[in-house]
Amino acid sequence: MHTFHFDDAIINIPRRRDMRYLYVEITNRCNLKCEMCFKQYWEDEEGDMPYSLFIKLMDDASEFDDLRLVYFGGIGEPTVHPRFMDMAREVKKRGHALGFSTNGFLLTDKMMEQLVEMPVDLIYLSFDSLPVQPTEIGHIVPGVTLKRIKKLVERKRRRKSELPHIGVEVVLTKENYRDMGNIARVLGEYGIDALLFSNLIPVNERHAKLILYDGSVDIEPYLDELRRRAYSGFYLHIPEFRLRTERHCDFVEKKVAVVRWDGEVSPCYRFLHTYPEFVFGRKKMVYAHSFGNIKEKSLGEIWSSEDYAWFRFIVKNAIYPSCTDCPLVEACSYVEDTRRDCWGNEPSCGDCLWARRITLCPIPMESMGKFW
């Protein structure tokens, strides 16, 4: 039991090893160089998780009785890792559900066949817009992502299998929001299981002008069209497009830990790396934050440590300032980076757009035994 003194209260937090979702950044390298990605602006070293360290992590994962899913995610492209398939097989061999995010470009026919045969439980493919043109007879000429989805769905049907569940994640900007309804229509025809829209967190001043959640765009007509297009057939996850009072961290609520390629254990994607972000046009440095490294301690020790337990308690109960709409934000030095806030919390979540549900990640939700 951890005992904390807070104001006039005594808070006891049990030392539970109750992590449910393990996110693993098996590599932070990528085969693409997308202009809007954090990778183009961060200060971090690139690398792949050594296979021996991955095996150690999987051994550590056995300490968690309620572990529901291992997910290959982070900032890199998982399929770049030279032992991606070996890692996938290892997770399934140990009896865990497995998911991963991908841009899809490196998914070969052979790999997709193996992923369906395994089977992997969840694949989320990134998708920005419809890279298509109507043909003379009105048919769609699919881009790379659509081709991968089509082949995965065909293989599933041949095996009469629901797995893997196929999700698509789309980052919305002023350049593609009008196409939400068409994206939902086309992807629905391809047989996806889930569609997640998120908002852009800009990494430079030019991108800061492309956000949709500053009131500069009337997005409601396009959301109405989206809902009509996606009324049935797949799970739809839509972000907020303005600040609301509620703050809710899916990483904390769903008991997620994120392990970086070098073994550092972060509470979320946001604190996985060091990079600049623009919050409603205001530049801020986000610094990587770790609660320990699995090279030195077990994941169970790190998860149940005093600092990590207190961080999760603070975030879950929103005991941190709301910097984004604070009247003093333009004159406050605390909002220049994430190291500390004016309430003494380290690191600071006060400006987090994930907590505001403006930015979303594919945090799986379980429904009837399915992962979305």
Side-chain angles (χ1 to χ4, degrees), residues 86-100:
D86 292 332
M87 291 174 162
R89 291 188 189 96
E90 185 66 30
V91 173
K92 295 300 295 183
K93 184 178 75 174
R94 292 171 182 253
H96 303 306
L98 172 64
F100 68 95

Side-chain angles (χ1 to χ4, degrees), residues 286-300:
V286 177
Y287 287 99
H289 189 91
S290 171
F291 287 99
N293 194 300
I294 60 169
K295 295 176 184 176
E296 300 159 2
K297 297 179 180 179
S298 75
L299 183 59

Side-chain angles (χ1 to χ4, degrees), residues 270-271 273-277 284-288 336-338:
R270 189 179 186 227
F271 290 133
H273 294 285
T274 297
Y275 57 90
E277 69 177 14
K284 185 185 195 83
M285 279 301 300
V286 177
Y287 287 99
E336 294 175 1
D337 59 53
T338 59

